Amino acid sequence: MVLLALTGCSSGSGNSSPTSSSGNAPGKSANTATFAEPPNTVPNWIWPFSPLADFTVSNSSDLQYLLFRPLYWFGNDGKAEVSDSLSLAAEPVFSNGGKTVTVKLKDYKWSDGTSVTAQNVMFWYNMLKAEKKNYAAYTPGQFPDNVVSVSTPDAKTIVFNTDKAYSQQWFLYNQLSTITPMPDAWDMTAANTKGDCATNESGCAAVYKYLISQSKDLPTYATNPLWQVVDGPWKLTKFNADGHITFVPNPTYSGPVKASLKEFIEVPFTTDDAEFQVLRGGNTIDVGYLPTQDLQAAKPASTGPAEAGPNPLSANYTLAPWFLYGINYFPINFNNPTVGPIFKQLYFRQALQSVVDQPAILSSAAKNYGVQTTGPVPLYPDSPLISQTEKNNPYPFSIANAKKDLTDNGWTVNPGGISVCAKPGSGAGECGAGVAAGAKATFNLQYASGNQTITTAMQSMKSNAAQVGITLNITPAPFNTVTGTSIPCSGKTCTWQMGNWGGGWVYAPDYYPTGEVLFETGAGSNSGSYSNPAIDKLIADTTTQSGTAVMQAYEDALAKDLPVIWQPNYTYSLTEVANGLQGATTQNPYSAINPEEWHY
């Protein structure tokens, strides 16, 4: 899922304790908690069936998950695994040689008094079948294409029959994980007209059109009867498109932990500096973030990205670094009519990757809160899935290597100027198919504004690239603008070139890092339209075979082929939790928040 990285940092270095009390804890007297949203990043899509432009952590974790629970909940007491206690269903049972998957729902209710049933799952499934190309987590040939038939033998049971046996972990973590049951109240084609998508796939187009229109109507989120029917622990009472959002407990929530806070409040900030100015006052924000530029010094490089250094706000807050299970990168548009042919040349992608100085960015701008990204499998936490290729980094920072990549392939390199293709053609030592004589190495790179670390990283890459005559015209824009621009496209209007929303991808709802949602040909979240049949085959192998060998074969090939430009994987948030607020320092590695577990 698309995310913005490095919203803050936190400590926990022993100078303050999450169990301590504080007389000025902001929400203590009113029994509320105020949460600072990432800079210039506000929720703007409520329906948990999102196109890529709206498939963001801010929409899922900070809005949708609080109201509407997915079938399976991932993140178990801070660990990267499924949580049985918070899932709407028991773990699936596989039979028939692995080709039959049976899901049993628990006893949950919607806030309108109706039960969460198999029909609610079928509503989502039928919608996916009908509108799969409009769902960001869809990959051609996979869910629902790999399901031969579905039955609901009773109100609490769904049986999927697949076309072949798949890895059981993959099917749970990357297929069933995408399901969010939808209430009967949403099966509408107009305000007072009932639809039949829940029972009939052919009825879904009209329902989709209506729900999309309601999702785009942000000012009505807190009043629209559709969005008042929830099965999560919270209900929405106030919503402003600028990011001011207020939730209250859902009194009918069926889960194991009921909210004890009177209100959960989210507030927006245009920049991390603006948030810090409020945070250090210590009387407004209960859970915020410390911008890395406000750390007095880098923490030791030997510490992990989830370990804390000194906390300058320890008088009022506990610092709890929040590292997500994901990778950081920015996509390049392989289908751009002008520069796409250049991006399709591996040597050129190698040159671009070689001017990214990840160690320097991590040590200076990020103050050692983060790790490098060298391929599709996160380097932290340590795991048997991580290959030696990724650990060794096939494309370390090297201006000399970048220059050689260009000069060996027909480019005249003009340091400080603009390098040009001098030898067009597809033979050895030439620029490659589709790259015209005189083609210039100048590109437009839009990046998410409001975060100084990301700005510094982009300025660093621009400066390094200039040394080999690659001009990067970097332009800041709001996070939602960047994600809305950097989407799959084709044809003359497919004009974006590079887009960096700042945080790459957290593996959710594709919780097992097999990559099909991101890198398979035609996948819904394959922003740059990357395509490599050999990689497609390796990805397919990871979905049907278990073990590390098949995963490492895929990750090694993809790490070397550079479908995107890898960036440092920053610690997602240097979270500051008000002293005395309980339950907020254990954070979900897949980005979800659980304010129902918070209390003073």
Side-chain angles (χ1 to χ4, degrees), residues 13-79:
S13 52
N15 53 2
S16 61
S17 166
T19 60
S20 64
S21 61
S22 176
N24 66 342
K28 187 174 182 179
S29 61
N31 195 29
T32 63
T34 297
F35 175 84
E37 295 167 352
N40 219 355
T41 306
V42 299
N44 66 346
W45 192 266
I46 194 169
W47 184 29
F49 192 94
S50 305
L52 181 56
D54 303 299
F55 199 57
T56 65
V57 162
S58 57
N59 285 328
S60 61
S61 298
D62 300 347
L63 179 60
Q64 296 166 8
Y65 290 168
L66 301 176
L67 308 172
F68 319 116
R69 284 306 210 215
L71 185 64
Y72 289 101
W73 187 265
F74 288 81
N76 184 25
D77 194 28
K79 297 185 289 293

Side-chain angles (χ1 to χ4, degrees), residues 347 350-351 354-355 394-408 468:
Y347 74 82
Q350 291 171 334
S354 295
V355 300
Y395 304 114
F397 171 66
S398 172
I399 299 298
N401 287 350
K403 181 178 180 180
K404 187 174 189 301
D405 288 330
L406 297 178
T407 56
D408 284 354
V468 294

Side-chain angles (χ1 to χ4, degrees), residues 245-285:
I245 308 172
T246 301
F247 303 84
V248 297
N250 169 17
T252 64
Y253 176 57
S254 309
V257 181
K258 313 296 192 291
S260 62
L261 294 170
K262 182 180 177 181
E263 289 182 333
F264 173 63
I265 304 161
E266 298 181 1
V267 292
F269 293 91
T270 54
T271 65
D272 52 8
D273 181 65
E275 186 269 350
F276 181 68
Q277 298 308 316
V278 176
L279 181 70
R280 69 178 178 177
N283 56 13
T284 302
I285 299 173

Side-chain angles (χ1 to χ4, degrees), residues 11 76 81-82 104 168 174 235 256 295 310 338 351 361 390 420 461 496 513:
S11 95
N76 184 25
E81 60 189 31
V82 67
K104 288 278 189 179
Q168 294 184 12
N174 287 22
K235 298 192 75 171
L295 289 166
T338 304
I361 295 168
E390 280 205 4
V420 297
M461 185 175 177
W496 71 273

